[in-house]
Amino acid sequence: MPRRLLRSALTALVCLSWTGLADDLWAAEALVPQLALEVGYDNNIGLAERRSDREADLIVTAVGSLRQTLTLGPRSALTLRIAAKYHEFIDFSNLNRRELGAGAHWYFQPTPGFTRPWYSLSVDWSALRHADSTIRNGALWRLGATTGRRFTDRVSGQLGYGYANRSARRGEVFDLEQHRLFSSLEWRLQGGATLYGNYSVMQGDIVSSARPNGTIIGAADAVAPDAAFGGDAVMAGTGMGPGPGVGNSGFVAYQLDATVRRLELGMNLPIDSLTALDVGIARLDATATSSIDYNGVQWRAGVLRRY
């Protein structure tokens, strides 16, 4: 199904990009390399319900990307992007993750104008590989549709829908399908800094990692030992945890149907014309089958550099 969706989305992007072009020619802008380095903290990396099962960690993320924009006409553009990411978990190193991805985003503004709405369709693919968590390895497809506009010279907003399909290379726990509605609002301050807020509601599959729990097992669509938190070791009877200083073992990964609400507030502060500092804090609340509730807080601070 994801491959059929991808082919359909790519066909739509190519066809729609020609809308209204007449005799206009493609114009390619210069390739834009981009690097980002971010430090974040998550107080519930396994999305566990019980406080005794919650684990927190610091995560360092490095991203390198290359972007090419094709101007298709006075009202349309197509952006192609490839990216490589690495996530380093300070305590739970089994979760360290490498990602390699590519995407295409088509933009269209039917009526030119500073405050006139614009529309976007996107398709993205990523391969996921973890240090020592084979059940998490796999591929992720994303499709999206967004509309946005400027309200003033300082305030702009967006609304959109996103579909995600994650396929696991081993087992079924991380075979996930999600639908998401999202909105964002940006306010540019004097001096160039931008305050922003993002709110989203996701309906679909999530994964929670916790010690065996009869209520969750009864509600789960799929269950598997979670080696990232010592689950394989416990199942083998060794009783070993994921590594020195972590100390928790016996965790199991559960796939559940849930509704997840996420609110993020942040600020982007330019350092120079090519570099910016971005900081944010987010709160998520999830309600899964059988009224199983989850929540977490995440913060991050990073530097973004274009060349």
Side-chain angles (χ1 to χ4, degrees):
M1 180 178 178
R3 292 181 180 177
R4 292 197 299 270
L5 285 171
L6 176 63
R7 286 196 295 267
S8 299
L10 287 174
T11 301
L13 286 175
V14 172
C15 293
L16 288 172
S17 65
W18 287 96
T19 303
L21 291 186
D23 295 326
D24 291 310
L25 299 178
W26 288 44
E29 298 180 5
L31 289 171
V32 180
Q34 191 167 282
L35 296 175
L37 183 64
E38 180 180 282
V39 177
Y41 174 82
D42 190 332
N43 75 345
N44 191 3
I45 59 173
L47 201 60
E49 179 186 30
R50 297 179 300 190
R51 290 189 176 275
S52 59
D53 291 336
R54 295 184 183 184
E55 296 290 358
D57 207 349
L58 283 171
I59 306 108
V60 179
T61 301
V63 183
S65 65
L66 192 62
R67 188 177 74 245
Q68 173 78 78
T69 297
L70 305 174
T71 301
L72 308 177
R75 296 178 293 166
S76 181
L78 180 67
T79 297
L80 307 176
R81 183 175 181 266
I82 58 172
K85 299 181 183 180
Y86 180 70
H87 306 268
E88 176 84 19
F89 287 74
I90 302 304
D91 290 328
F92 290 85
S93 58
N94 289 344
L95 293 173
N96 291 351
R97 182 171 76 251
R98 305 184 307 276
E99 298 182 27
L100 183 63
H105 295 235
W106 174 74
Y107 302 88
F108 180 63
Q109 189 177 39
T111 305
F114 185 78
T115 61
R116 303 301 295 176
W118 54 263
Y119 303 91
S120 171
L121 296 176
S122 63
V123 56
D124 295 276
W125 170 87
S126 298
L128 312 175
R129 298 294 182 270
H130 294 76
D132 190 12
S133 181
T134 55
I135 62 173
R136 287 177 170 82
N137 292 340
L140 175 64
W141 301 92
R142 291 192 180 98
L143 301 175
T146 308
T147 182
R149 57 164 294 186
R150 295 184 180 94
F151 299 104
T152 71
D153 61 342
R154 296 188 180 277
V155 180
S156 61
Q158 297 181 26
L159 294 172
Y161 163 80
Y163 170 81
N165 188 298
R166 179 171 174 172
S167 57
R169 297 186 64 185
R170 174 185 172 187
E172 300 178 350
V173 174
F174 281 88
D175 282 339
L176 310 176
E177 187 173 25
Q178 300 171 341
H179 300 269
R180 186 170 66 99
L181 296 176
F182 59 88
S183 62
S184 66
L185 191 65
E186 296 183 355
W187 178 27
R188 186 166 60 85
L189 306 176
Q190 294 284 354
T194 300
L195 298 178
Y196 60 85
N198 303 315
Y199 181 74
S200 66
V201 179
M202 189 280 293
Q203 177 64 51
D205 304 314
I206 63 169
V207 175
S208 171
S209 292
R211 294 181 179 86
N213 179 315
T215 301
I216 302 179
I217 290 176
D221 296 320
V223 179
D226 195 344
F229 297 93
D232 281 350
V234 168
M235 297 299 287
T238 66
M240 296 175 61
V246 180
N248 273 333
S249 59
F251 277 53
V252 174
Y254 307 90
Q255 183 193 107
L256 298 159
D257 183 64
T259 299
V260 180
R261 295 161 296 279
R262 187 176 189 271
L263 174 64
E264 179 183 29
L265 300 175
M267 180 177 69
N268 184 277
L269 179 65
I271 298 174
D272 57 38
S273 61
L274 297 175
T275 311
L277 173 68
D278 196 83
V279 297
I281 184 168
R283 162 85 183 196
L284 66 86
D285 292 279
T287 301
T289 306
S290 300
S291 299
I292 302 170
D293 296 324
Y294 305 89
N295 61 72
V297 174
Q298 304 158 344
W299 64 258
R300 55 177 179 75
V303 176
L304 179 67
R305 172 75 179 182
R306 292 184 292 112
Y307 294 89

mmCIF file with all atom_site columns, all heavy atoms in Angstrom, residues 209-220:
data_model
loop_
_atom_site.group_PDB
_atom_site.id
_atom_site.type_symbol
_atom_site.label_atom_id
_atom_site.label_alt_id
_atom_site.label_comp_id
_atom_site.label_asym_id
_atom_site.label_entity_id
_atom_site.label_seq_id
_atom_site.pdbx_PDB_ins_code
_atom_site.Cartn_x
_atom_site.Cartn_y
_atom_site.Cartn_z
_atom_site.occupancy
_atom_site.B_iso_or_equiv
_atom_site.pdbx_formal_charge
_atom_site.auth_seq_id
_atom_site.auth_comp_id
_atom_site.auth_asym_id
_atom_site.auth_atom_id
_atom_site.pdbx_PDB_model_num
ATOM 1  N N   . SER A 1 209 ? 6.622  1.207  25.565 1.00 0.00 ? 209 SER A N   1
ATOM 2  C CA  . SER A 1 209 ? 7.548  0.218  26.129 1.00 0.00 ? 209 SER A CA  1
ATOM 3  C C   . SER A 1 209 ? 7.471  0.286  27.651 1.00 0.00 ? 209 SER A C   1
ATOM 4  O O   . SER A 1 209 ? 7.696  1.347  28.241 1.00 0.00 ? 209 SER A O   1
ATOM 5  C CB  . SER A 1 209 ? 8.977  0.478  25.660 1.00 0.00 ? 209 SER A CB  1
ATOM 6  O OG  . SER A 1 209 ? 9.105  0.224  24.280 1.00 0.00 ? 209 SER A OG  1
ATOM 7  N N   . ALA A 1 210 ? 7.133  -0.840 28.268 1.00 0.00 ? 210 ALA A N   1
ATOM 8  C CA  . ALA A 1 210 ? 6.948  -0.882 29.716 1.00 0.00 ? 210 ALA A CA  1
ATOM 9  C C   . ALA A 1 210 ? 7.098  -2.317 30.192 1.00 0.00 ? 210 ALA A C   1
ATOM 10 O O   . ALA A 1 210 ? 7.175  -3.259 29.394 1.00 0.00 ? 210 ALA A O   1
ATOM 11 C CB  . ALA A 1 210 ? 5.566  -0.348 30.094 1.00 0.00 ? 210 ALA A CB  1
ATOM 12 N N   . ARG A 1 211 ? 7.153  -2.494 31.509 1.00 0.00 ? 211 ARG A N   1
ATOM 13 C CA  . ARG A 1 211 ? 7.158  -3.838 32.057 1.00 0.00 ? 211 ARG A CA  1
ATOM 14 C C   . ARG A 1 211 ? 5.808  -4.507 31.779 1.00 0.00 ? 211 ARG A C   1
ATOM 15 O O   . ARG A 1 211 ? 4.809  -3.813 31.615 1.00 0.00 ? 211 ARG A O   1
ATOM 16 C CB  . ARG A 1 211 ? 7.445  -3.798 33.556 1.00 0.00 ? 211 ARG A CB  1
ATOM 17 C CG  . ARG A 1 211 ? 8.845  -3.298 33.890 1.00 0.00 ? 211 ARG A CG  1
ATOM 18 C CD  . ARG A 1 211 ? 9.082  -3.296 35.396 1.00 0.00 ? 211 ARG A CD  1
ATOM 19 N NE  . ARG A 1 211 ? 10.424 -2.851 35.705 1.00 0.00 ? 211 ARG A NE  1
ATOM 20 C CZ  . ARG A 1 211 ? 10.783 -1.577 35.843 1.00 0.00 ? 211 ARG A CZ  1
ATOM 21 N NH1 . ARG A 1 211 ? 9.870  -0.627 35.684 1.00 0.00 ? 211 ARG A NH1 1
ATOM 22 N NH2 . ARG A 1 211 ? 12.025 -1.245 36.126 1.00 0.00 ? 211 ARG A NH2 1
ATOM 23 N N   . PRO A 1 212 ? 5.769  -5.837 31.708 1.00 0.00 ? 212 PRO A N   1
ATOM 24 C CA  . PRO A 1 212 ? 4.505  -6.535 31.394 1.00 0.00 ? 212 PRO A CA  1
ATOM 25 C C   . PRO A 1 212 ? 3.358  -6.065 32.273 1.00 0.00 ? 212 PRO A C   1
ATOM 26 O O   . PRO A 1 212 ? 3.487  -5.969 33.491 1.00 0.00 ? 212 PRO A O   1
ATOM 27 C CB  . PRO A 1 212 ? 4.853  -7.998 31.640 1.00 0.00 ? 212 PRO A CB  1
ATOM 28 C CG  . PRO A 1 212 ? 6.314  -8.081 31.374 1.00 0.00 ? 212 PRO A CG  1
ATOM 29 C CD  . PRO A 1 212 ? 6.895  -6.774 31.861 1.00 0.00 ? 212 PRO A CD  1
ATOM 30 N N   . ASN A 1 213 ? 2.250  -5.752 31.622 1.00 0.00 ? 213 ASN A N   1
ATOM 31 C CA  . ASN A 1 213 ? 1.083  -5.190 32.286 1.00 0.00 ? 213 ASN A CA  1
ATOM 32 C C   . ASN A 1 213 ? -0.145 -5.843 31.672 1.00 0.00 ? 213 ASN A C   1
ATOM 33 O O   . ASN A 1 213 ? -0.374 -5.734 30.467 1.00 0.00 ? 213 ASN A O   1
ATOM 34 C CB  . ASN A 1 213 ? 1.071  -3.666 32.085 1.00 0.00 ? 213 ASN A CB  1
ATOM 35 C CG  . ASN A 1 213 ? -0.112 -2.985 32.715 1.00 0.00 ? 213 ASN A CG  1
ATOM 36 O OD1 . ASN A 1 213 ? -1.251 -3.436 32.594 1.00 0.00 ? 213 ASN A OD1 1
ATOM 37 N ND2 . ASN A 1 213 ? 0.144  -1.869 33.389 1.00 0.00 ? 213 ASN A ND2 1
ATOM 38 N N   . GLY A 1 214 ? -0.944 -6.525 32.492 1.00 0.00 ? 214 GLY A N   1
ATOM 39 C CA  . GLY A 1 214 ? -2.094 -7.263 31.988 1.00 0.00 ? 214 GLY A CA  1
ATOM 40 C C   . GLY A 1 214 ? -3.091 -6.395 31.246 1.00 0.00 ? 214 GLY A C   1
ATOM 41 O O   . GLY A 1 214 ? -3.640 -6.806 30.222 1.00 0.00 ? 214 GLY A O   1
ATOM 42 N N   . THR A 1 215 ? -3.309 -5.166 31.731 1.00 0.00 ? 215 THR A N   1
ATOM 43 C CA  . THR A 1 215 ? -4.264 -4.273 31.075 1.00 0.00 ? 215 THR A CA  1
ATOM 44 C C   . THR A 1 215 ? -3.796 -3.908 29.675 1.00 0.00 ? 215 THR A C   1
ATOM 45 O O   . THR A 1 215 ? -4.565 -3.934 28.704 1.00 0.00 ? 215 THR A O   1
ATOM 46 C CB  . THR A 1 215 ? -4.453 -2.994 31.909 1.00 0.00 ? 215 THR A CB  1
ATOM 47 O OG1 . THR A 1 215 ? -4.935 -3.351 33.210 1.00 0.00 ? 215 THR A OG1 1
ATOM 48 C CG2 . THR A 1 215 ? -5.445 -2.060 31.239 1.00 0.00 ? 215 THR A CG2 1
ATOM 49 N N   . ILE A 1 216 ? -2.499 -3.568 29.564 1.00 0.00 ? 216 ILE A N   1
ATOM 50 C CA  . ILE A 1 216 ? -1.976 -3.166 28.264 1.00 0.00 ? 216 ILE A CA  1
ATOM 51 C C   . ILE A 1 216 ? -1.903 -4.363 27.323 1.00 0.00 ? 216 ILE A C   1
ATOM 52 O O   . ILE A 1 216 ? -2.220 -4.250 26.133 1.00 0.00 ? 216 ILE A O   1
ATOM 53 C CB  . ILE A 1 216 ? -0.584 -2.514 28.416 1.00 0.00 ? 216 ILE A CB  1
ATOM 54 C CG1 . ILE A 1 216 ? -0.664 -1.308 29.355 1.00 0.00 ? 216 ILE A CG1 1
ATOM 55 C CG2 . ILE A 1 216 ? -0.054 -2.081 27.065 1.00 0.00 ? 216 ILE A CG2 1
ATOM 56 C CD1 . ILE A 1 216 ? 0.653  -0.614 29.582 1.00 0.00 ? 216 ILE A CD1 1
ATOM 57 N N   . ILE A 1 217 ? -1.495 -5.532 27.840 1.00 0.00 ? 217 ILE A N   1
ATOM 58 C CA  . ILE A 1 217 ? -1.427 -6.723 26.992 1.00 0.00 ? 217 ILE A CA  1
ATOM 59 C C   . ILE A 1 217 ? -2.796 -7.029 26.399 1.00 0.00 ? 217 ILE A C   1
ATOM 60 O O   . ILE A 1 217 ? -2.931 -7.365 25.216 1.00 0.00 ? 217 ILE A O   1
ATOM 61 C CB  . ILE A 1 217 ? -0.897 -7.930 27.792 1.00 0.00 ? 217 ILE A CB  1
ATOM 62 C CG1 . ILE A 1 217 ? 0.595  -7.735 28.105 1.00 0.00 ? 217 ILE A CG1 1
ATOM 63 C CG2 . ILE A 1 217 ? -1.103 -9.230 27.017 1.00 0.00 ? 217 ILE A CG2 1
ATOM 64 C CD1 . ILE A 1 217 ? 1.181  -8.824 28.972 1.00 0.00 ? 217 ILE A CD1 1
ATOM 65 N N   . GLY A 1 218 ? -3.842 -6.876 27.209 1.00 0.00 ? 218 GLY A N   1
ATOM 66 C CA  . GLY A 1 218 ? -5.192 -7.143 26.726 1.00 0.00 ? 218 GLY A CA  1
ATOM 67 C C   . GLY A 1 218 ? -5.654 -6.167 25.675 1.00 0.00 ? 218 GLY A C   1
ATOM 68 O O   . GLY A 1 218 ? -6.478 -6.515 24.825 1.00 0.00 ? 218 GLY A O   1
ATOM 69 N N   . ALA A 1 219 ? -5.133 -4.944 25.706 1.00 0.00 ? 219 ALA A N   1
ATOM 70 C CA  . ALA A 1 219 ? -5.557 -3.918 24.750 1.00 0.00 ? 219 ALA A CA  1
ATOM 71 C C   . ALA A 1 219 ? -4.655 -3.841 23.528 1.00 0.00 ? 219 ALA A C   1
ATOM 72 O O   . ALA A 1 219 ? -5.038 -3.243 22.516 1.00 0.00 ? 219 ALA A O   1
ATOM 73 C CB  . ALA A 1 219 ? -5.587 -2.555 25.440 1.00 0.00 ? 219 ALA A CB  1
ATOM 74 N N   . ALA A 1 220 ? -3.459 -4.435 23.585 1.00 0.00 ? 220 ALA A N   1
ATOM 75 C CA  . ALA A 1 220 ? -2.471 -4.280 22.519 1.00 0.00 ? 220 ALA A CA  1
ATOM 76 C C   . ALA A 1 220 ? -2.838 -5.056 21.269 1.00 0.00 ? 220 ALA A C   1
ATOM 77 O O   . ALA A 1 220 ? -3.404 -6.147 21.325 1.00 0.00 ? 220 ALA A O   1
ATOM 78 C CB  . ALA A 1 220 ? -1.104 -4.729 23.021 1.00 0.00 ? 220 ALA A CB  1
#
